[in-house]
């Protein structure tokens, strides 16, 4: 597997397809598992870490899905390639540092990925295009079940699955939905969403993960706690809340089209014009403009491109992707030029 | 003469041709004359005003150039058409109000125009494309001489030509050059130009005339006094100063191309992209963006349009032009939409 090949294709989850893909970019389901009788990774010594990695790999190799995947040992992956995997949401930023005894199993189409020896011994992730919580859950549940046939997971009858961080203990489940909410944003309704979310045991983050601010109207909403509820309760709750947010966003889009038609179109076409013209552009500005263009596609105002191109650009415009594509290291200001070149070229600008 | 036809063609002075047309948009030469033995317009009664208008017209009719012109009596011109003539720089804003006994003689190609009974009984104007002070002077001098054969002008051997406002007394001459100085502006050198100008007996104004601020990097520079110097002294002084400003602007453009290539191109192409995309745009923003695009054309970065289109848009985007073109009255916010439509269409946008 040449990691650089990843950037030549579109990941399955970027296709801009699937249920409610006008508002939901992607759905991610992740479960955390640890090996019974082994120290958690952060407390383990070198020998113990080596053991959990090897045991994990051995079990994975026995699973039917393994033949569709490939295995990366982090220490053999270059820094730039690790950064690329992080940017593609295939693994966490933490998994890219202190790489000894860390591994990644991933599918070619980038739906399934499994981190070995991140904070937990095993972190299974399924990433799908559109609003696909239950489908994602079925996939990951199947994988978890098969893997459980070849490994004994750390489990307490009182707490459920044991994890390195107590917020994951119980189900080990985190489901996240990446929403695009430009209409709620422009009508100042996002603070209401934040307020409702926090009361319902959910949390909200930006496109580029934990600790990043929500930018360009992309919001990642996920369950905050994994303990005290069944998997189905957690997923149902998330699905119900997200459905309400989607309905509100759709209503507000209708309102904008009916009542703020000219301003909305103006912002959309100016953003599109700027992306097709700029010679220097920061990632922050790019995401804001791509958000407006995505709305333009969703509203049928922009017809010559599809959502998939926009989703892909959100990924490709990141530093490691730009450097990998050009096969060259760049300073931040060179990146801003290369980013502008990329965006212009992909959107058919001048 | 149907005044609305004016907007269907490009005035001679908008062609973007002539000497130094990369920096000088146009040159305007104006002389003020009054009829000997008649009260100045502002002090005259109705009968006297009628008389100076009729005498002026009678003399003009005897001149050889008159056959190439047409005569408008202001009271017969609609308010919108008067506004259009003001926007086209063919007459002053003051000439469009209290229109009784006011007249305008103008050429089809809009090089020569003569206001009758503005502040002075006669105000002759020649407007040329590019940097053309001496050619403009020769034209207006010839017309003045011929007109003087059929009229006696108010003249004092001590002061020269007598005018309603003392700032025009002497030669009655005002020469103005419309400069486009984007490079001096972006490098913060315009304050130096202002300082130098005021010391040299010159004055600086915006594109849309007296009292308007210089916007979009367009600056109109003209002589401040008409008394105590010969016409040649006044014109030589202006020409010399403008030549220095032109040289400085050219050097600074070279500097930008060599040292700020990417930022300069970025601003130019973003401006072009916005003009080709916007659905709502104010005149203030339009002039700023057109200025950047004009620089892009001058630097050879934008190749698919010429300077003439930009000059014409600066005129056409004004309120009376927009309403005349659409044959409809607009609210300010409707104008901002129609302006965006016009600009997009002319620049080949989407």
């Amino acid at each position: 597997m040449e990691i650089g090949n990843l950037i030549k294709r579109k990941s399955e989850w970027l296709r801009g397809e699937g249920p409610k893909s006008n508002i939901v970019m992607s759905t991610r389901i992740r479960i955390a598992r640890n090996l019974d009788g082994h120290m958690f990774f952060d407390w383990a010594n070198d020998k113990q870490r080596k053991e959990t990695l090897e045991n994990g790999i051995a079990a994975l190799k026995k699973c039917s899905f393994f033949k569709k995947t490939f295995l990366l040992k982090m220490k053999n992956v270059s820094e730039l390639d690790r950064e690329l995997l992080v940017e593609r949401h295939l693994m966490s930023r933490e998994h890219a540092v202190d790489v000894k005894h860390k591994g990644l199993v991933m599918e070619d189409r980038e739906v399934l990925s499994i981190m070995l020896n991140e904070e937990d011994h095993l972190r299974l992730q399924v990433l799908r295009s559109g609003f696909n919580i239950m489908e994602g859950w079925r996939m990951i549940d199947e994988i978890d079940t098969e893997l459980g046939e070849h490994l004994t997971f750390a489990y307490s009858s009182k707490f459920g699955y044991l994890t390195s961080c107590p917020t994951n203990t119980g189900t080990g489940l985190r489901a996240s939905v990446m929403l695009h909410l430009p209409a709620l944003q422009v009508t100042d309704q996002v603070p209401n969403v934040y307020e409702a979310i926090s009361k319902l045991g959910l949390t909200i983050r930006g496109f580029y993960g934990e600790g990043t601010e929500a930018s360009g109207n992309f919001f990642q909403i996920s369950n905050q706690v994994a303990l005290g509820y069944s998997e189905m309760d957690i997923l149902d709750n998330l699905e119900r809340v997200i459905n309400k947010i989607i309905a509100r966003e759709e209503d507000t889009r209708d309102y904008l089209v009916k009542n703020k038609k000219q301003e909305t179109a103006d912002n959309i076409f100016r953003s599109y014009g700027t992306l097709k013209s700029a010679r220097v552009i920061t990632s922050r500005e790019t995401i804001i403009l791509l958000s407006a263009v995505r709305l333009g596609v969703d509203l049928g105002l922009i017809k010559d491109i599809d959502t998939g191109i926009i989703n892909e650009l959100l990924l490709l415009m990141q530093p490691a992707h730009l450097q990998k594509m050009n096969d060259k290291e760049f300073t931040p200001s060179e990146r801003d030029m290369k980013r502008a070149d990329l965006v212009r070229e992909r959107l058919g600008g001048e």
Side-chain angles (χ1 to χ4, degrees), chain A residues 219-233:
Chain A
F219 302 88
Q220 197 185 143
I221 295 177
S222 52
N223 61 306
Q224 191 144 31
V225 278
L227 184 72
Y229 300 92
S230 73
E231 284 88 350
M232 274 304 134
D233 285 345

Side-chain angles (χ1 to χ4, degrees), chain A residues 154-203:
Chain A
Y155 186 86
S156 135
S157 55
K158 185 172 177 194
F159 296 116
Y161 291 102
L162 301 175
T163 55
S164 173
C165 175
T167 58
N168 293 309
T169 300
T171 57
L173 173 68
R174 172 154 287 187
S176 310
V177 180
M178 182 73 74
L179 293 150
H180 183 227
L181 306 174
L184 293 183
Q185 180 80 301
V186 82
T187 53
D188 286 329
Q189 295 182 76
V190 169
N192 306 348
V193 174
Y194 269 86
E195 210 188 310
I197 287 295
S198 63
K199 283 183 191 152
L200 296 163
L202 304 176
T203 183

Side-chain angles (χ1 to χ4, degrees), chain A residues 203-218:
Chain A
T203 183
I204 196 161
R205 289 180 297 171
F207 180 71
Y208 297 110
E210 198 148 9
T212 68
E213 89 188 281
S215 50
N217 313 319
F218 291 98

Side-chain angles (χ1 to χ4, degrees), chain A residues 1-14:
Chain A
M1 170 64 187
E2 168 49 52
I3 291 169
N5 286 337
L6 289 174
I7 58 179
K8 293 180 189 152
R9 312 174 310 247
K10 207 176 282 179
S11 317
E12 195 275 345
W13 67 278
L14 288 174

Side-chain angles (χ1 to χ4, degrees), chain A residues 73-276:
Chain A
K73 291 200 173 166
M74 277 303 118
K75 64 170 194 234
N76 302 329
V77 179
S78 74
E79 207 175 321
L80 183 62
D81 282 348
R82 295 197 303 262
E83 187 58 31
L84 193 89
L85 293 166
V86 173
E87 289 181 355
R88 292 186 83 79
H89 297 210
L90 292 168
M91 63 182 220
S92 66
R93 192 158 294 284
E94 294 69 33
H95 206 53
V97 290
D98 301 329
V99 291
K100 202 172 175 193
H101 305 311
K102 286 183 176 172
L104 182 72
V105 165
M106 59 172 284
E107 269 186 317
D108 196 50
R109 58 184 188 139
E110 300 175 59
V111 172
L112 169 68
S113 66
I114 301 170
M115 286 188 282
L116 290 137
N117 277 348
E118 205 244 23
E119 184 181 294
D120 295 300
H121 297 146
L122 290 159
R123 285 203 163 192
L124 285 60
Q125 168 180 292
V126 164
L127 194 52
R128 300 304 310 258
S129 186
F131 191 34
N132 252 328
I133 290 181
M134 289 307 162
E135 197 193 310
W137 167 249
R138 270 192 302 274
M139 278 190 69
I140 211 156
D141 188 37
E142 211 171 277
I143 284 159
D144 179 44
T145 304
E146 193 179 354
L147 194 55
E149 290 166 13
H150 308 291
L151 279 175
T152 309
F153 295 135
Y155 186 86
S156 135
S157 55
K158 185 172 177 194
F159 296 116
Y161 291 102
L162 301 175
T163 55
S164 173
C165 175
T167 58
N168 293 309
T169 300
T171 57
L173 173 68
R174 172 154 287 187
S176 310
V177 180
M178 182 73 74
L179 293 150
H180 183 227
L181 306 174
L184 293 183
Q185 180 80 301
V186 82
T187 53
D188 286 329
Q189 295 182 76
V190 169
N192 306 348
V193 174
Y194 269 86
E195 210 188 310
I197 287 295
S198 63
K199 283 183 191 152
L200 296 163
L202 304 176
T203 183
I204 196 161
R205 289 180 297 171
F207 180 71
Y208 297 110
E210 198 148 9
T212 68
E213 89 188 281
S215 50
N217 313 319
F218 291 98
F219 302 88
Q220 197 185 143
I221 295 177
S222 52
N223 61 306
Q224 191 144 31
V225 278
L227 184 72
Y229 300 92
S230 73
E231 284 88 350
M232 274 304 134
D233 285 345
I234 290 168
L235 297 174
D236 274 347
N237 179 44
L238 184 66
E239 193 169 64
R240 206 177 54 249
V241 174
I242 301 274
N243 268 322
K244 279 190 191 158
I245 297 172
I246 291 172
R248 177 64 70 94
E249 170 70 18
E250 282 178 336
D251 288 350
T252 311
R253 288 185 186 185
D254 286 347
Y255 164 82
L256 289 178
V257 167
K258 278 184 197 123
N259 301 288
K260 307 270 181 190
K261 197 174 173 203
Q262 212 62 27
E263 298 95 309
T264 303
D266 186 54
N267 180 44
I268 287 167
F269 286 109
R270 280 172 180 251
S271 301
Y272 197 29
T274 301
L275 288 172
K276 290 201 282 187

